[in-house]
Every structure is written in structure tokens, then in C-alpha cells.
Amino acid sequence: MIQVSGRPFQPSDNWNTDEVDQVIIEAMQKTQDIYSFSSERELSFVIKARKNIILSAKQMDQGEAVFATFKNSRCNPEYWNLTQAGGFLLKPQVRPSDAISDIFKNSALYKFECATACVINFYHGILLTMGSPSFNTLFPNLYLYSWYTDEDLGLYSFYADHFVPGDVVYFNNPDFDPGTPWLRGVNAIAMGNGRFFGHGFSIRTANQMIEALNRNRKPDSQQSAYLASLITRPSFNQLANFSGSVRAPKRASFVIHHNKNSISYITYLFELSYKLKT
């Protein structure tokens, strides 16, 4: 359910919602979990951000960017430096908003895997929601590689039996063919109405995603791919309350170059924690 200022949410006449807005609101309302917001403004931001992430995923699906392993990643050198690990590092003097937007404007120049695609859609959706000035202040030093993100995106994962459009879910393929390790799973954005966008898979239903993964299992596999109960999302409420003020210089957080395509965010965090301990 949705609560605003500690009370159950009842939209007023000032709320002009379309079909996508309604699907997002209904997904939050029908669960026993409480989605709490300090104000209607904060709730409006979150709904708009989720809607823009869905819009971003549709644009990526309609564009010419293709799936590629880290080894074969590609980006527009006008905006990004391609690292040896296959990541995209923002060039000096380039505005972050311009670089993220270019992935959609000149999509034919880009190749990346599905975790990176989800991060790109998160950033692009937030950019469309808060606008370029705030986005550039909040995310001045972008680096796109797998699930690595700026700490102010507030990315987190949890296990649940429900998700909201704009979330990322994970289709796990535990018996993937060792010859195609990038098909160990698919990170996919929940689009609403039972459909999901996975980079390299287009927009499909859950059953269609699972069927596609099942065609890429070990020959003797008896275990089907499945939709895991794993949800990944940005800290929307935190982003809604960004004031737009100039930030102190940020130290880049640690990145782990694992070279494992199509892993979940939980797996990335495991790889990161293991690296930090060794």
C-alpha cells in the first residue's frame, strides 16, 4: 500500500494519471508492503521516474544498440573512453547528461551486456525525471560497467514476491550452456502488464524469457530457467529529495571488473565483497 505523510494515499483531483501511472500506482497499492512517502511531490517524482525508466527501456529496445560481452563492448569515443575491461568511462569536459543521452541518440555506436543496459536505463530515466542540471551535479563522474553505479543512485536489491514497473528482475538460468556463459541469466526491466525488457531479448513475457533461456541450457539439463524473487531498484525517495545544490567532490567507489556477463546485482555485490576481503 501507499502512504503519504503517514496516511493511506488517496489521489486528489489534481492527479492527472495515464495508463502507465495507474499500473505503477496499482502495483504499489495491491501489496501488503508499505511504500511510504513524505509528500505527494515525492510520490509524484517516484512514479515519474519509474515511468521514465520504462520509456527508456522502450527506446533502447527500438534502437540499434546490441548485446555484447564485455570483451566486445563498444561506445561512442566522442563521449566515452572504452576501458580494457569493456566499461565506458566518461570523458573529461563531457556533460554526463549528454553522454547518457547519446547512447539513445547514436545507439548504433554502442554494444553492451544486460546488467550495463539496466544501469543505463536507470540513469536515463532519472535524467528524464530531474533534468540535466541536477543530473550533472549529482552524477559528475560516470563509469558504466556491469552493476557498478554512483553511490547517489542508491542501488539496492532484496528478495520479494512482488515488483513494481520500473524495477529490475532477474531470470536465472542455473544450467546454462558453458559455451554461452552470457546466457546464465537475463536482467530485465519490469514494463508492466506482464512484460519485461531484457537487452538482447527485446520485450517479452516471463514465459517467453524463460523459453529463450531454456534453449541455451546444458544438453542433459533437467532444471528450467526461472524468474527469481530478486528485485533491484534505485533509492527513488532519496533521489526525489535531491536539492540540486552543488556537491562536494566525490571519491569514486571501488569497482570490481569480474568479466562475468549477465550477472544479477546480488552476484556483483558478492564478487565485490570477495575482492575486498582478498
Side-chain angles (χ1 to χ4, degrees):
M1 63 179 294
I2 299 174
Q3 286 187 352
V4 177
S5 300
R7 298 181 179 181
F9 172 64
Q10 295 293 335
S12 64
D13 294 338
N14 295 327
W15 278 77
N16 296 315
T17 56
D18 61 17
E19 181 180 353
V20 179
D21 296 328
Q22 285 294 333
V23 169
I24 293 169
I25 291 171
E26 288 172 8
M28 290 192 286
Q29 287 282 43
K30 71 181 182 182
T31 177
Q32 293 183 348
D33 293 346
I34 296 176
Y35 286 86
S36 180
F37 304 93
S38 62
S39 64
E40 287 197 2
R41 187 203 67 80
E42 184 177 276
L43 171 59
S44 178
F45 177 96
V46 173
I47 293 171
K48 184 178 179 182
R50 288 182 173 277
K51 182 177 178 179
N52 282 331
I53 289 168
I54 294 168
L55 173 63
S56 176
K58 289 180 179 178
Q59 291 180 359
M60 184 174 287
D61 180 53
Q62 294 166 0
E64 298 179 77
V66 298
F67 181 94
T69 62
F70 293 117
K71 179 181 178 181
N72 297 309
S73 293
R74 187 174 72 181
C75 56
N76 186 349
E78 183 177 347
Y79 295 91
W80 307 94
N81 288 318
L82 180 64
T83 67
Q84 289 185 343
F88 306 162
L89 180 64
L90 185 71
K91 281 196 163 185
Q93 311 306 317
V94 170
R95 296 196 306 175
S97 58
D98 292 341
I100 289 293
S101 296
D102 185 71
I103 299 173
F104 297 84
K105 292 178 181 177
N106 293 300
S107 58
L109 301 178
Y110 290 86
K111 295 181 179 180
F112 42 82
E113 53 84 65
C114 67
T116 308
C118 291
V119 170
I120 290 169
N121 283 310
F122 280 157
Y123 278 132
H124 191 235
I126 297 303
L127 168 60
L128 295 176
T129 306
M130 64 170 44
S132 295
S134 292
F135 184 87
N136 293 335
T137 300
L138 194 58
F139 306 115
N141 303 303
L142 291 178
Y143 179 51
L144 304 177
Y145 176 85
S146 184
W147 281 111
Y148 175 81
T149 59
D150 186 292
E151 62 181 9
D152 280 323
L153 190 63
L155 208 63
Y156 67 102
S157 280
F158 59 97
Y159 291 94
D161 59 2
H162 80 282
F163 48 82
V164 179
D167 285 341
V168 165
V169 300
Y170 190 69
F171 290 89
N172 191 26
N173 189 18
D175 275 354
F176 64 89
D177 186 333
T180 55
W182 52 88
L183 292 170
R184 59 171 45 90
V186 181
N187 293 287
I189 293 174
M191 305 292 284
N193 297 318
R195 302 184 73 81
F196 305 86
F197 168 70
H199 185 53
F201 284 75
S202 192
I203 298 175
R204 305 183 182 215
T205 65
N207 285 338
Q208 289 171 334
M209 287 284 189
I210 291 169
E211 289 171 1
L213 288 173
N214 280 343
R215 291 194 291 271
N216 293 276
R217 292 185 295 167
K218 297 175 183 177
D220 58 347
S221 171
Q222 300 298 313
Q223 185 172 4
S224 171
Y226 62 92
L227 175 57
S229 300
L230 180 64
I231 316 299
T232 302
R233 62 175 62 142
S235 296
F236 289 111
N237 296 46
Q238 173 182 306
L239 292 163
N241 292 300
F242 173 59
S243 65
S245 58
V246 176
R247 307 292 296 272
K250 290 192 291 187
R251 293 179 60 184
S253 53
F254 190 82
V255 57
I256 173 68
H257 293 110
H258 51 75
N259 198 33
K260 295 180 180 178
N261 300 278
S262 307
I263 64 172
S264 68
Y265 184 52
I266 286 290
T267 302
Y268 176 80
L269 293 179
F270 174 81
E271 295 282 345
L272 179 61
S273 63
Y274 177 79
K275 181 68 175 179
L276 291 174
K277 291 176 182 178
T278 58

